[in-house]
């Protein structure tokens, strides 16, 4: 299992493990500590519609709504299916007072991302996630009541190159001096599109931390 330990300003060590169970730690004073880690509370999914905005001039509509998260390559709109670049997802969600009181730490789990995500919560940048697991700490940015979440997601250029290779030269949006696809001798148009966008599921997580006090 994955685990972390960090020092608090008062010298206390806060231990965090992804699986419940008994853990034995040996700290710098040479004394072992046994910690019983209980399971985290159930995550809260951010369900419902997502507003998605695409930049102009790249074939996709400037604004649309997704009632569920899926790869752009599965969309009915051909401009979205072949889109390469950065799209912006936006959602409002509500957080109750009790949830904040009972959760000293809150994380945003983006689920599957293809390929890179930059997250803003309530107008403040939370961070960039390039590799799985796409989980960011939002304890400081989240607030009671309505919250505004914005996620910028970028994919690779492959899907647009595939679409452009099947178009006349004067209708293409991209240009490359490479005349082959990902495989040697393959045309771009014959390559398989890559899943793209925010695939989720997006959830709020509430990891438990267990303090190890000085003895």
């Amino acid at each position: 299992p994955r685990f972390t330990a960090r020092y608090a300003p008062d010298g206390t060590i806060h231990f965090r493990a992804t699986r419940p169970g008994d853990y034995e730690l040996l700290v710098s004073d040479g004394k072992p500590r046994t910690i019983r880690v209980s399971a985290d509370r159930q995550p809260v999914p951010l369900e419902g519609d997502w507003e998605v905005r695409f930049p102009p001039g790249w074939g996709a509509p400037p604004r649309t709504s997704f009632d569920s998260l899926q790869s752009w390559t599965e969309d009915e709109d051909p401009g979205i299916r072949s889109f390469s670049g950065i799209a912006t997802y936006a959602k409002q969600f509500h957080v109750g007072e009790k949830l904040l009181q009972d959760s000293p730490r809150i994380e945003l789990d983006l689920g599957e991302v293809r390929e890179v995500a930059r997250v803003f919560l309530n107008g403040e940048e939370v961070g960039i996630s390039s590799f799985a697991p796409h989980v960011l700490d939002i304890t400081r940015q989240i607030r009671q009541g309505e919250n505004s979440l914005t996620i910028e997601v970028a994919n690779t250029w492959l899907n647009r190159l595939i679409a452009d290779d099947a178009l006349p030269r004067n209708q293409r949006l991209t240009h490359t001096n490479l005349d082959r696809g990902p495989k040697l001798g393959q045309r771009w148009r014959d390559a398989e599109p890559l899943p793209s966008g925010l695939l989720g599921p997006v959830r709020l997580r509430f990891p438990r931390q267990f303090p190890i006090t000085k003895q």
Side-chain angles (χ1 to χ4, degrees):
R2 193 165 63 96
F3 61 87
T4 59
R6 65 179 182 87
Y7 279 97
D10 62 359
T12 302
I13 302 172
H14 290 270
F15 180 75
R16 157 79 179 137
T18 55
R19 292 183 185 176
D22 292 336
Y23 293 81
E24 186 171 288
L25 282 73
L26 185 65
V27 294
S28 58
D29 61 8
K31 297 178 181 179
R33 310 282 201 279
T34 300
I35 301 175
R36 175 159 292 177
V37 175
S38 57
D40 293 342
R41 63 176 295 173
Q42 287 297 308
V44 173
L46 299 186
E47 299 175 324
D49 292 351
W50 291 80
E51 180 189 88
V52 185
R53 300 188 296 272
F54 294 93
W58 290 99
R63 188 186 299 262
T64 188
S65 178
F66 290 171
D67 56 11
S68 62
L69 294 174
Q70 64 178 13
S71 171
W72 300 336
T73 56
E74 298 177 9
D75 199 89
E76 295 181 354
D77 189 306
I80 295 177
R81 288 200 303 271
S82 59
F83 176 77
S84 289
I86 300 174
T88 302
Y89 292 72
K91 172 182 280 296
Q92 300 286 123
F93 65 93
H94 183 85
V95 173
E97 180 181 4
K98 188 175 188 307
L99 184 65
L100 291 184
Q101 291 176 343
D102 294 344
S103 308
R105 185 177 174 197
I106 302 178
E107 295 176 339
L108 179 69
D109 183 350
L110 301 179
E112 187 176 358
V113 175
R114 296 297 186 94
E115 299 293 330
V116 180
R118 184 184 186 192
V119 177
F120 298 83
L121 184 59
N122 297 322
E124 184 175 347
E125 182 171 356
V126 177
I128 296 174
S129 185
S130 304
F131 304 98
H134 297 281
V135 179
L136 298 101
D137 191 323
I138 57 171
T139 308
R140 189 169 58 84
Q141 293 87 1
I142 200 167
R143 63 194 182 197
Q144 181 183 341
E146 288 300 309
N147 287 261
S148 178
L149 175 63
T150 303
I151 306 171
E152 298 176 351
V153 180
N155 65 340
T156 72
W157 282 106
L158 177 63
N159 295 348
R160 189 65 247 176
L161 289 169
I162 292 171
D164 281 353
D165 194 40
L167 295 175
R169 214 171 262 278
N170 63 352
Q171 295 180 23
R172 297 176 184 177
L173 300 179
T174 57
H175 302 277
T176 177
N177 60 355
L178 301 175
D179 58 359
R180 295 189 179 95
K183 296 180 180 178
L184 186 63
Q186 181 187 47
R187 299 180 301 177
W188 288 108
R189 73 191 72 176
D190 297 327
E192 287 294 325
L194 289 177
S196 298
L198 179 63
L199 280 63
V202 178
R203 298 178 287 185
L204 299 180
R205 291 189 173 275
F206 313 94
R208 299 185 189 275
Q209 295 186 137
F210 299 86
I212 306 169
T213 56
K214 297 178 180 179
Q215 292 186 355

